[in-house]
Each structure stands twice: as structure tokens, then as C-alpha cells.
Amino acid sequence: MLLWLMHVKKHLSFGGLRKMLSAHFLSLAEYRQYGKITYRLHDVCMSGVAVMFFQDPSLLQFQMRMQEKLQRNNLQTLFQVEHIPQDTQMREVIDRIESESVSTLFLDFFRALQRAKYLQQYLFLDGQYLISLDGSEYFSSEKLWCPGCLRKEDKKGNVRYHHEILQAALMHPIMRQVIPLAPEAIKNTDGTTKQDCEINAAKRLVKRIRRDHPKLRIIIVADSLHSKQPFIEELHRLGMRYILVVKEDDHKILMEWVNEQRQLQEVCRLRVKDWKGRLHVYEWINGVPLNGNQETVWVNYCEYWLYDETGKNTYHNSWVTGIPIGEDNVREIVRGGRCKWKIENEVFNTLKNQGYHIEHNYGHGKKNLSMNFFLFNLLAFFMHQIFELSDGLYQQCRKAFGSKRNLWDHLRVAIRLLIFPDWQVLLMRVLRPSEFL
Ligand SMILES: [Zn+2]
């Protein structure tokens, strides 16, 4: 058992993940004509991931220079790239790769984590998993566009083109690391006049999650946009549970019902003071109509207020869920619902602000370039999350350097100066430089 676990954990090491990436990119169908190929698809895709992995737009240039001087380079040793492509060639090739063929890597990484038992720490409310959904824009322009672009026109007639995705991530209230699943593109397709939207993307996304994970017991966490009857019915069909935000403006009938019950004192209440002196107030009621439809869905409702030690209200929110609420689980349900901020904070803010340069213009391309770069970026983020969970040396580095940004600054400098045979040696070098003198 122990040997087996050691074996499956190996898949999560840098070398194990690289092998998965490598095998996947080698299996991609070549769309170019034989004879016109200068760089293998494998080398081009691995280079793209490496750029995102090191969060360094000039990675290829520097490693090419190293190759010229020393006949070796870090893209070769770390990512097994035989020939480093030029930047423009990399973009042209990546633009034409179907994004769906890159997306499947998320499932490979997820399964590796699952097999090595790392997901057990994410179990929530009797063997279930919280999967949070949130939309984000990753490209915007007034000039560049493609058929998949969403279009927004202001009152003056100025058009803005943009790309959005709906992201899903597995998370747990006390776990810092989030596990991204493959995102769903919110994009227009040929032949439809109506623009795609987050709600439609959410329906496609949950169907795909169910197809990829037929047995996983899932609770979907999302904002008020999704606490609508068609989406909840879809979740019922897929055997998923949910904790969804509800807002007064969007759910008038439901809120009226709750207020009436409150006046009749039919609402359950729990007040808890924590060790910091903060007061948590929970109210809930089971069996509430979601809306005024004759065929409405009946849901369970809870509301939560947080007061700081001075009595000031610092947080307030309400959710609906299919899970029957009681005094024993109301706190967990609220913690699950509040988890949603993690996808904004830990995923999108990290991608945008912690050096991942997600909004940095890696290019829009003619077909799939911006989406594929977004996917490479998210895969790199996923790899870093896996190291935080499983790579002891990386964990030591994270501790030693304080911020993630600081650590990666050092890693970037190191690979510009020296060639490293593997990831472990690179980490050792930045962690204990004096041992290498
Ligand atoms: Zn576009």
C-alpha cells in the first residue's frame, strides 16, 4: 500500500507532471503539412507552458541565447524541448490548436491528485466536494477580434471585443490551495446571432463536470446569477447539490416568504461568539419557494451576519441550498457558501496580480491563441498548486521566500544564469545558494 502510494505520488512531482504534459502534446494530431514543420507541436506547446510556468514572456529569447553560447539550455533540461521556437512561430502554431485538446490535461492532473489521496483533505459535509463557479474576462480589445469574441457596444457605438470564461475549482474552507478544473469558454459560435452568456456556459460546464466525474459527490457553489430555476433543475438532473447566493432584488417572492415566516417567528436562529469576540448570527428555514412560478423549486434558505468585536456588521449574505439545514450543519453550509470568494481571490487575482500576467497581451491570434495561452497559464498555476500540496522542497522555498512573487523572481534569475539538470536542483540552488559556491 505504502509503495503504491509512493508510486502514485511520483506522478505529482515536477517530472511526473512534465511527463503527462509531454505525452499529451506528443499525442496531439499534427495539422500542418509534412515538410512545412520547423518545430514539433510538442516543443511549441511545452515552450508555451514553460513561459507561463516561469511567468516570463522573454523566457524563449534568453534560453535561445544560452543554447547559442553553451549548446544547452533550461527548456531542454527541464521541459524536454528539443528546438526552441521563435516567439512568432510559437504564437502561429498555438493559435491553430483546438482548445479542447489542451483542456483534457486538467482532468489528467486532477486524477493524479485523486489517486495520490490529496483530495481527501477537501472532503466537506459527509464525503462531498465543493466546486465553486465564477466568470472572468481574460482578453479585451477595441481593435482585435475573432468570430468567437463577445461583442459589447456602448451608447456611442464604440465596440469592445472580449473573451470570457467560466471557471470551476474544487476548494475547501480551510485549504489555501484550490484545484482548477478545465474552464468553459463563454464565446460566440458561427451561425448564432444571440451572444453566449455565463448562464448557458454554466449549464455546459456542470454537464461536463458530471461526465468527467460520474461518481464524485458534488456541491456547486455560485453567485446569485445561478440561483435560478433552470440551473437548479439541471443540477438536480445531474445529481449535484448546491449552495447558491440569493439577492433581495433577484428573488423578491422568496424574500417576502422568508420575511413573513420571520414575523411569525418560524425562522430558526443560532448565535455564536467566537474566541476573537466576533458574533456570528445564522438564520434558516427549510422549504421555501424559489420564485412565484406554479412549478417552482422548493429550496432551503439561510442567512448569515458577522459582527466584529465592536458590534459592527462586517459581512452579510444569504444562500439557498437543496441540503436540509439544521443546527448541526448551518455553520458548515455558510462556510461552504462563503468559500466562493476563494475562486476570485486565489485563482483570478493570483493569475492577474501575482506575476502570472493573465491580462498581459500574449496576443489574440486569429483562432484560439488567447484561449490557449489562458489554458497554459491556468495549467502552470495548477502545477504550482500541486507543488504547494505535495512537493516538500517547494514548500520549503515558499516559506523561505515569503511571497510567491519573490520566490519566482529568484527562480527566473537562476535559469537565466545557469543550466539546471532538473527542478529539484533548481529549487535547492535558490534555497541554499551557499552550498553551491
Ligand atoms: Zn476573439
Side-chain angles (χ1 to χ4, degrees):
M1 178 69 183
L2 198 65
L3 267 176
W4 174 80
L5 202 60
M6 273 166 68
H7 174 72
V8 288
K9 280 190 176 178
K10 236 200 250 164
H11 293 297
L12 295 171
S13 64
F14 178 86
L17 297 176
R18 183 198 53 205
K19 235 187 221 168
M20 262 185 256
L21 288 169
S22 218
H24 186 80
F25 293 139
L26 282 171
S27 75
L28 287 185
E30 181 58 71
Y31 64 81
R32 297 166 295 173
Q33 273 176 16
Y34 190 73
K36 289 192 177 168
I37 299 171
T38 323
Y39 300 100
R40 295 187 307 162
L41 272 185
H42 171 271
D43 286 358
V44 172
C45 292
M46 284 304 245
S47 301
V49 173
V51 166
M52 296 301 175
F53 185 86
F54 283 104
Q55 303 155 28
D56 184 0
S58 50
L59 179 79
L60 304 189
Q61 247 172 295
F62 273 91
Q63 297 305 312
M64 250 184 234
R65 260 182 246 161
M66 234 175 205
Q67 177 66 28
E68 279 162 23
K69 271 193 219 152
L70 308 166
Q71 276 71 58
R72 284 171 69 222
N73 69 78
N74 285 302
L75 270 170
Q76 183 186 52
T77 54
L78 298 174
F79 284 88
Q80 294 181 331
V81 172
E82 270 178 38
H83 302 288
I84 306 173
Q86 297 282 350
D87 227 40
T88 44
Q89 283 161 318
M90 176 175 74
R91 281 164 210 266
E92 271 172 30
V93 175
I94 290 178
D95 188 26
R96 294 182 57 191
I97 294 172
E98 293 302 331
S99 302
E100 287 73 21
S101 65
V102 179
S103 292
T104 55
L105 275 161
F106 287 88
L107 193 54
D108 296 346
F109 285 8
F110 186 95
R111 294 234 164 96
L113 273 172
Q114 203 172 23
R115 275 196 298 270
K117 312 271 180 217
Y118 279 100
L119 296 187
Q120 282 182 353
Q121 8 178 17
Y122 287 83
L123 283 172
F124 180 81
L125 277 181
D126 312 323
Q128 305 180 74
Y129 291 100
L130 288 172
I131 292 181
S132 178
L133 311 184
D134 200 17
S136 181
E137 178 176 291
Y138 65 88
F139 178 86
S140 167
S141 169
E142 277 162 14
K143 292 184 195 118
L144 299 169
W145 65 279
C146 69
C149 267
L150 298 170
R151 233 173 141 265
K152 213 173 233 170
E153 196 171 329
D154 68 15
K155 281 179 189 156
K156 288 180 189 160
N158 301 318
V159 177
R160 187 173 73 87
Y161 299 97
H162 58 122
H163 280 246
E164 286 179 29
I165 49 100
L166 183 66
Q167 184 62 52
L170 191 138
M171 51 186 60
H172 187 276
I174 61 165
M175 293 295 292
R176 263 195 47 213
Q177 293 74 27
V178 299
I179 314 294
L181 308 183
E184 181 68 32
I186 308 174
K187 68 171 191 179
N188 292 329
T189 39
D190 294 342
T192 47
T193 44
K194 223 176 143 213
Q195 294 221 67
D196 194 14
C197 65
E198 189 172 327
I199 297 170
N200 287 340
K203 285 188 200 156
R204 297 196 298 269
L205 179 59
V206 289
K207 267 189 204 145
R208 174 160 50 79
I209 293 175
R210 185 41 92 214
R211 197 191 62 214
D212 289 346
H213 308 279
K215 288 185 186 152
L216 212 63
R217 296 180 65 208
I218 294 167
I219 302 175
I220 295 288
V221 177
D223 62 21
S224 180
L225 187 66
H226 301 287
S227 51
K228 305 286 155 45
Q229 189 158 346
F231 186 62
I232 291 179
E233 283 175 343
E234 185 64 49
L235 294 177
H236 283 164
R237 267 195 292 278
L238 296 169
M240 293 178 177
R241 292 177 130 180
Y242 54 86
I243 305 173
L244 306 170
V245 172
V246 279
K247 293 231 166 85
E248 189 121 31
D249 299 346
D250 299 341
H251 295 82
K252 287 210 166 79
I253 303 270
L254 174 126
M255 292 301 192
E256 274 170 31
W257 180 286
V258 169
N259 285 332
E260 263 171 40
Q261 298 295 311
R262 201 172 264 141
Q263 276 158 15
L264 296 168
Q265 305 209 324
E266 294 286 333
V267 173
C268 305
R269 199 158 210 242
L270 178 71
R271 292 161 62 93
V272 182
K273 222 178 198 161
D274 67 19
W275 60 277
K276 283 184 186 165
R278 298 178 308 176
L279 179 67
H280 305 256
V281 179
Y282 305 83
E283 283 191 358
W284 69 96
I285 172 167
N286 290 316
V288 182
L290 183 71
N291 51 47
N293 294 349
Q294 250 184 352
E295 304 275 304
T296 186
V297 190
W298 291 77
V299 293
N300 309 317
Y301 172 88
C302 68
E303 195 164 339
Y304 167 76
W305 294 261
L306 175 64
Y307 298 92
D308 67 11
E309 56 287 3
T310 66
K312 196 176 136 212
N313 179 224
T314 54
Y315 183 86
H316 171 234
N317 216 341
S318 355
W319 298 268
V320 290
T321 174
I323 304 165
I325 311 171
E327 202 170 320
D328 56 332
N329 67 1
V330 66
R331 277 176 278 187
E332 277 301 275
I333 288 171
V334 166
R335 282 173 83 204
R338 289 188 71 185
C339 231
K340 210 196 80 70
W341 67 269
K342 277 185 187 248
I343 197 163
E344 289 159 36
N345 205 49
E346 305 286 322
V347 184
F348 295 131
N349 282 350
T350 313
L351 292 178
K352 283 175 185 166
N353 307 323
Q354 296 243 349
Y356 287 81
H357 302 291
I358 200 113
E359 286 183 322
H360 183 287
N361 199 353
Y362 277 105
H364 175 271
K366 293 188 181 111
K367 248 184 118 196
N368 308 317
L369 189 68
S370 59
M371 179 64 176
N372 288 344
F373 265 124
F374 177 80
L375 291 173
F376 286 164
N377 204 347
L378 198 63
L379 278 171
F381 169 79
F382 198 169
M383 289 170 88
H384 300 165
Q385 297 285 289
I386 292 174
F387 299 150
E388 283 189 20
L389 285 170
S390 66
D391 183 336
L393 202 52
Y394 184 76
Q395 289 161 357
Q396 280 183 50
C397 287
R398 283 284 277 121
K399 240 186 225 155
F401 284 92
S403 74
K404 200 168 174 175
R405 190 187 288 260
N406 191 17
L407 167 64
W408 284 93
D409 280 343
H410 278 76
L411 292 171
R412 271 190 292 274
V413 171
I415 59 160
R416 283 185 183 188
L417 299 173
L418 297 165
I419 295 173
F420 295 92
D422 61 42
W423 173 242
Q424 261 66 34
V425 178
L426 169 60
L427 291 182
M428 290 292 286
R429 181 70 174 77
V430 295
L431 191 63
R432 291 192 269 279
S434 57
E435 285 177 21
F436 287 79
L437 291 174

